Amino acid sequence: MGSSSSSLNNIPNAQELIQETGFSAAHLLRLHERFEFLDKDQKGELRPQDFAAVRELAMNPIGDRIVAAFFSPGYINLRTLKTLLKETVDFPTFVQVLAHFRPTDTNRTREGTQREPANSRTSKLKFAFQLYDQDRDGKISRAELLQVLRAMMGMQVTEEQLQSIADRAIQEADLDKDDAISFDEFKKSLEKVDIDHKMSIRFLR
């Protein structure tokens, strides 16, 4: 994908990105090549439709939600009071989001005020939680859970079965009995789940 990807010197703030995300220099170069491949008009930024070329996301039933995570809420429209998504994503943001899908590095520790690594278990769970919590109110409602279940299971089960699964999931995870799942409840319910296995993207290997 071109000679521009052959050196870290062509990636602005490469060393800072390596330090922040934990990606190796070689991995960062591969991701830069992938970014340039997706950036068809060579503007140095991606739009949501550019991610259609990522086969791993196109095949994922909640791939559209993962793509939306790259375009984190940008600003609030004061007329409608709705939070709008950024329209494009640059390479540093692309890498920072993908860092959530790196295997957890148990040897990497935080220093002082340094924020938690994107590939820590807690950061991964927060990222996964936000894929459900679409209205960003800090809770997964029954309706939000059903939306994800419908996307993931589609026509394999009936609507009645989906609703039963959602009810059971909330009943088991909802410790404070408010008919929704908070992040702490979500985290506790996944204590025994191998989050690295669940959150992986093939082209990061």
Side-chain angles (χ1 to χ4, degrees):
M1 294 181 218
S3 59
S4 63
S5 298
S6 62
S7 169
L8 283 180
N9 295 331
N10 294 310
I11 303 176
N13 305 313
Q15 292 303 325
E16 288 90 338
L17 274 176
I18 289 170
Q19 179 63 34
E20 181 182 348
T21 63
F23 283 120
S24 67
H27 223 139
L28 193 68
L29 286 171
R30 286 203 299 274
L31 290 176
H32 195 249
E33 289 177 356
R34 193 65 186 258
F35 184 89
E36 288 187 325
F37 172 75
L38 296 173
D39 180 19
K40 299 296 187 190
D41 53 12
Q42 299 183 335
K43 289 187 174 180
E45 55 190 26
L46 302 178
R47 298 156 299 169
Q49 56 266 38
D50 294 324
F51 284 83
V54 181
R55 182 172 171 269
E56 297 86 353
L57 292 176
M59 294 174 62
N60 191 311
I62 57 169
D64 57 340
R65 289 178 182 236
I66 296 172
V67 170
F70 285 87
F71 302 84
S72 57
Y75 61 95
I76 293 179
N77 183 320
L78 294 178
R79 271 191 304 117
T80 62
L81 295 181
K82 284 187 178 177
T83 304
L84 304 179
L85 296 181
K86 290 190 296 185
E87 293 181 0
T88 60
V89 61
D90 57 13
F91 180 67
T93 305
F94 178 75
V95 175
Q96 288 157 359
V97 172
L98 286 177
H100 290 95
F101 296 90
R102 281 186 61 239
T104 303
D105 186 351
T106 53
N107 297 320
R108 196 165 185 233
T109 56
R110 278 192 293 171
E111 298 176 10
T113 58
Q114 187 181 1
R115 67 182 180 184
E116 185 142 18
N119 69 323
S120 72
R121 182 175 177 83
T122 298
S123 292
K124 285 173 179 280
L125 288 170
K126 284 179 179 175
F127 184 88
F129 182 82
Q130 290 174 0
L131 297 181
Y132 289 86
D133 180 23
Q134 293 289 286
D135 63 6
R136 299 292 189 265
D137 69 347
K139 290 183 178 290
I140 300 172
S141 67
R142 183 176 183 275
E144 287 172 326
L145 184 56
L146 271 170
Q147 286 176 357
V148 174
L149 289 173
R150 285 191 191 105
M152 294 179 74
M153 297 183 174
M155 304 300 289
Q156 298 173 32
V157 296
T158 65
E159 180 65 20
E160 188 176 293
Q161 288 171 316
L162 283 175
Q163 298 205 15
S164 176
I165 293 168
D167 288 341
R168 190 165 64 249
I170 288 180
Q171 186 178 3
E172 290 176 2
D174 179 24
L175 301 177
D176 61 7
K177 305 303 177 192
D178 65 348
D179 292 324
I181 302 171
S182 68
F183 174 70
D184 286 339
E185 291 167 340
F186 181 78
K187 185 177 179 180
K188 186 166 181 59
S189 71
L190 293 174
E191 275 178 340
K192 297 179 181 177
V193 172
D194 181 355
I195 198 68
D196 278 347
H197 177 70
K198 295 290 185 186
M199 285 184 65
S200 63
I201 294 181
R202 190 176 298 277
F203 73 78
L204 289 183
R205 295 175 190 164

